[in-house]
Amino acid sequence: MRKENVVDGVQNAPHRSLFHALGLTEEEQKRPLIGIVSSYNEIVPGHMNIDKIVDAVKLGVAMAGGTPIVFPAIAVCDGIAMGHTGMKYSLVTRDLIADSTEAMALAHGFDGLVMVPNCDKNVPGLLMAAARVNVPTVFVSGGPMLAGRVEGKKTSLSSMFEAVGAYNAGKLDDEKLKEYECKTCPTCGSCSGMYTANSMNCLTEALGMGLRGNGTVPAVYSARIELAKHAGMAVMELLRKDIRPRDIMTKEALMNALTVDMALGCSTNSMLHLPAIAHECGVELNLDIANEISAKTPNLCHLAPAGRTYMEDLDEAGGVYAVMNELTKKGLLNTECMTVTGKTMEENIAGCVNLNTQVIRPVENPYSETGGIAVLKGNLAPEGSVVKRSAVLPEMLVHEGPAKVFDSEEEAQAAINAGKIVAGDVVVIRYEGPKGGPGMREMLNPTSAIMGMGLGNSVALITDGRFSGATRGACVGHITPEAASGGMIGVVEDGDIISINIPENTIELKVDADVLAERMKNFVPKQKELSGYLKRYAALVSGGASGAILN
C-alpha cells in the first residue's frame, strides 16, 4: 500500500504528527487512505450538488473500512464561458485538472481514489489522472440535470441558445425568451441533453470506470446518493483485489467506449477526450479508428440536441448498460473487459434490457446503420475533421456552397446577427483551434443562431475550433491542421466553393490546385499576443486530430 510511504514506520513519525494535526486518529491512519477528488464549486450548476455526492462517498469508504480524505479539482462551466474569452479557458483546464490531481494523489500517498467529476473537462481530466496515478480508482459523477419544460415540451440548454437565435430573427418576443430563460435549466446537474458532460459520464460506464447509472441517474434523485455510497464501497473492493485503472482502461475497453459513443450519438468532443485518455493509457486511438468503428456501429439514440429525448429518458429506458446489451447482439463489444465492479462487462450488463425502444432503438431498427459521429478528410482537413452526423438534417448530409470567411467567432456571430449569412453558404471560422484560439473554443453561439434563424437546413459551418455537445446541424469542427499551424483553412477566401459529403466522409475546397499551391506558398499564419497560461498552452498543444494533448 502507498500509505506505508507516509504513515508506517519510525521514519514516518513526522508525517503521522501532521495527520494528527488533521484530527485523524491512530485507527484511521492504520486504514487505507482513500483520496476523494471533489469537483464541487458554486459557479457550475453541474457541480453545486457534488458536496452531497462527496459526503456519500466518504460514508461508503468508511463503511467499507477505509479513511476518506477530500481534495479539490477545478471546473469551468462551458455554458457560462460560452461566446467570450472565457471559452479559451475551457479545454485547457482538462490538463490542469489532470496535472493537479496527479500531483495531489502522488504527493500524499493515497492507496486509492474516488473521482467525483461532472461537467465537460473534469471527466476526461480525471480519467487521464487516474491512468497516470494508477491506484485503484472509481468514478461517480454529479449526475445530469432534469429537462426543462416550456409549453408542455421538454427543453435543454441547446433550446435556450437557439431561442436567442429565434429572438434575433424576430420569431420570439421578450416574454417568450424570458420563459425559456427561467424554465430551461430547472435543477442542478450537467445539462440535460447528450452534451459533452453527459457523453463522457456515459462513456465512463462503457470504459468500466464507473458503476451502472454513473452517466444517467439524474442529479436530484436519491439514487444518485446511493450510487455514491456504492462507489465508496467499490474502491475498497478494488483495493483488496488490486485492480487498477490501467487494468480496466485497456485498448479493448477504449474500443468499447468508442463503439458506445457511436451508438449513443455523443458530443464531438469525445473525439478530443478519448484519444487523450488513451494516450495516458499507452494506447493509440486516432480518427481513422473512429471511422472504422462508426462504419459498423448502428446509431441507436437521438438524445437532445439530435432528438426530443433527454438523459432522464435514457435512464428510465435502461441506461448505458441497456445500450451495450443491444450492441452485443451484433458482437460489437468485448465483454470480457474488467470493470470497477470487480466483474467483467459481460457480468455487469447481463439482464440489463432495453425498456423503451423509442429511446433506445433496437439494433434491428437503428436510426442509421452507421455511428453518430463521422470523421471527414480532404484537402481542407488532411489530418481529419469531426461532425456529429446524428444531429445533421438529412438534406444537409451533402452540401456544397460558397465560403463566408471569418477569423474569429465574434466576427462570424456579428455577421450572422446582421443577416449577412444566406441559404447555401458555408460559414468558415478559423484561428480558433487549440493553438490558434488558443484553447479551441466551442462555437455554440453561431451554430445556435443559424438554427434559431431557420437556416439549419441550408447553411453549413466549418471551423478549426470545436462545438458544444449542444450543437446540431451541418457543423464540421476540429479541422486539422488548423489555420495557426499553416492549415489550408487559413487560405480559404470568400466565395470559394466548399463541398461537404458526410456519407462519403469527405470535405473539399474546390479551388484549382495551382491556385491553392500559390496561396499556400505565400501564407503566413496570423499570430496573437498571448500571456500567462494560454501562452504556455499554445506553445505545447498538439492538433485536434490527436486529442489536443500537451507535448
Side-chain angles (χ1 to χ4, degrees):
M1 287 191 179
R2 288 178 180 265
K3 79 177 181 62
E4 65 189 20
N5 297 326
V6 294
V7 175
D8 299 342
V10 173
Q11 74 279 5
N12 285 328
H15 303 68
R16 291 195 295 275
S17 70
L18 293 170
F19 279 111
H20 282 296
L22 291 170
L24 292 178
T25 66
E26 290 185 9
E27 291 83 358
E28 287 174 300
Q29 293 180 45
K30 291 177 181 177
R31 296 173 177 174
L33 303 179
I34 306 299
I36 302 174
V37 186
S38 170
S39 302
Y40 168 77
N41 64 42
E42 294 183 342
I43 187 61
V44 184
H47 289 233
M48 62 180 288
N49 66 317
I50 280 179
D51 56 341
K52 309 293 189 301
I53 305 298
V54 167
D55 286 345
V57 172
K58 289 174 67 177
L59 186 56
V61 169
M63 288 167 63
T67 297
I69 302 174
V70 179
F71 64 88
I74 63 169
V76 164
C77 176
D78 278 24
I80 295 174
M82 195 70 65
H84 58 94
T85 300
M87 182 46 68
K88 294 178 185 288
Y89 287 90
S90 171
L91 178 60
V92 304
T93 64
R94 185 186 71 185
D95 295 277
L96 286 176
I97 292 161
D99 293 348
S100 59
T101 301
E102 174 193 356
M104 288 293 289
L106 293 178
H108 299 105
F110 289 108
D111 296 305
L113 297 168
V114 179
M115 308 291 198
V116 190
N118 208 25
C119 291
D120 297 28
K121 308 312 164 303
N122 289 76
V123 187
L126 291 179
L127 284 165
M128 291 162 68
R132 293 181 195 174
V133 178
N134 204 35
V135 298
T137 302
V138 176
F139 276 67
V140 56
S141 76
M145 184 184 291
L146 293 177
R149 299 288 196 284
V150 175
E151 295 181 340
K153 295 180 180 179
K154 291 182 178 181
T155 61
S156 58
L157 187 63
S158 53
S159 309
M160 184 68 249
F161 276 90
E162 290 181 19
V164 173
Y167 177 85
N168 288 334
K171 297 181 178 183
L172 282 185
D173 59 18
D174 290 323
E175 184 178 352
K176 182 56 67 175
L177 183 67
K178 185 68 174 179
E179 183 179 2
Y180 269 97
E181 179 183 330
C182 294
K183 294 181 178 180
T184 293
C185 298
T187 70
C188 62
S190 48
C191 296
S192 58
M194 188 53 81
Y195 310 148
T196 306
N198 293 326
S199 294
M200 294 309 302
N201 283 322
C202 287
L203 296 183
T204 299
E205 283 189 60
L207 271 173
M209 290 297 293
L211 301 177
R212 181 185 182 185
N214 177 71
T216 59
V217 174
V220 295
Y221 283 13
S222 296
R224 176 63 55 179
I225 300 296
E226 295 181 37
L227 183 67
K229 292 176 183 175
H230 283 296
M233 298 178 204
V235 75
M236 296 303 296
E237 185 63 22
L238 290 181
L239 190 60
R240 282 187 279 272
K241 293 181 176 179
D242 194 28
I243 298 173
R244 300 168 183 249
R246 287 184 215 160
D247 299 325
I248 295 171
M249 290 192 287
T250 60
K251 180 178 180 179
E252 292 75 19
L254 285 155
M255 295 301 107
N256 282 347
L258 191 50
T259 301
V260 174
D261 184 340
M262 297 300 171
L264 285 172
C266 290
S267 164
T268 52
N269 282 315
S270 63
M271 292 297 99
L272 286 174
H273 300 321
L274 286 175
I277 295 162
H279 176 75
E280 298 292 349
C281 297
V283 176
E284 182 183 358
L285 197 165
N286 58 42
L287 295 186
D288 292 329
I289 295 172
N291 259 359
E292 290 173 19
I293 290 180
S294 180
K296 60 184 179 182
T297 305
N299 177 225
L300 305 182
C301 298
H302 267 192
L303 291 104
R308 302 298 301 175
T309 52
Y310 297 81
M311 295 307 296
E312 63 206 62
D313 302 313
L314 179 59
D315 187 61
E316 291 171 9
V320 176
Y321 278 15
V323 174
M324 295 181 78
N325 234 338
E326 287 289 342
L327 294 172
T328 61
K329 295 176 183 178
K330 293 188 70 173
L332 294 173
L333 298 176
N334 185 322
T335 57
E336 296 180 2
C337 293
M338 181 50 61
T339 73
V340 292
T341 64
K343 300 177 181 178
T344 65
M345 189 59 74
E346 181 178 17
E347 293 174 288
N348 286 349
I349 67 175
C352 299
V353 298
N354 184 354
L355 301 175
N356 188 336
T357 56
Q358 299 303 306
V359 176
I360 305 171
R361 288 274 188 95
V363 290
E364 301 85 7
N365 181 34
Y367 283 102
S368 67
E369 294 291 344
T370 53
I373 290 176
V375 174
L376 313 185
K377 288 190 174 184
N379 64 353
L380 253 181
E383 294 176 20
S385 61
V386 180
V387 62
K388 189 171 183 174
R389 172 167 39 198
S390 60
V392 178
L393 293 170
E395 59 267 37
M396 290 299 291
L397 289 170
V398 177
H399 180 77
E400 185 170 295
K404 294 282 182 68
V405 183
F406 306 95
D407 287 345
S408 71
E409 177 190 2
E410 288 83 358
E411 292 176 25
Q413 188 67 47
I416 295 167
N417 291 346
K420 295 180 179 179
I421 304 303
V422 298
D425 284 346
V426 178
V427 177
V428 178
I429 306 178
R430 61 194 180 194
Y431 293 103
E432 291 288 6
K435 187 180 296 292
M440 206 178 187
R441 287 194 292 180
E442 293 180 342
M443 303 291 123
L444 181 56
N445 275 351
T447 59
S448 297
I450 287 169
M451 297 302 295
M453 296 172 78
L455 294 171
N457 63 349
S458 59
V459 170
L461 186 151
I462 72 169
T463 180
D464 53 9
R466 61 194 178 96
F467 299 114
S468 164
T471 286
R472 64 189 179 105
C475 304
V476 183
H478 308 199
I479 299 282
T480 312
E482 61 179 289
S485 295
M488 191 168 287
I489 190 173
V491 301
V492 179
E493 297 181 359
D494 282 340
D496 286 350
I497 300 301
I498 293 174
S499 173
I500 299 167
N501 190 319
I502 296 172
E504 296 294 329
N505 299 321
T506 61
I507 180 167
E508 293 285 338
L509 178 59
K510 301 187 77 172
V511 174
D512 185 82
D514 291 338
V515 174
L516 288 179
E518 187 65 21
R519 288 185 193 176
M520 292 296 289
K521 178 181 175 182
N522 298 314
F523 177 40
V524 179
K526 294 183 178 181
Q527 301 294 323
K528 296 179 180 178
E529 289 293 327
L530 301 172
S531 61
Y533 180 49
L534 290 183
K535 184 175 183 178
R536 299 200 306 276
Y537 184 86
L540 297 173
V541 70
S542 72
S546 58
I549 60 174
L550 297 185
N551 295 311

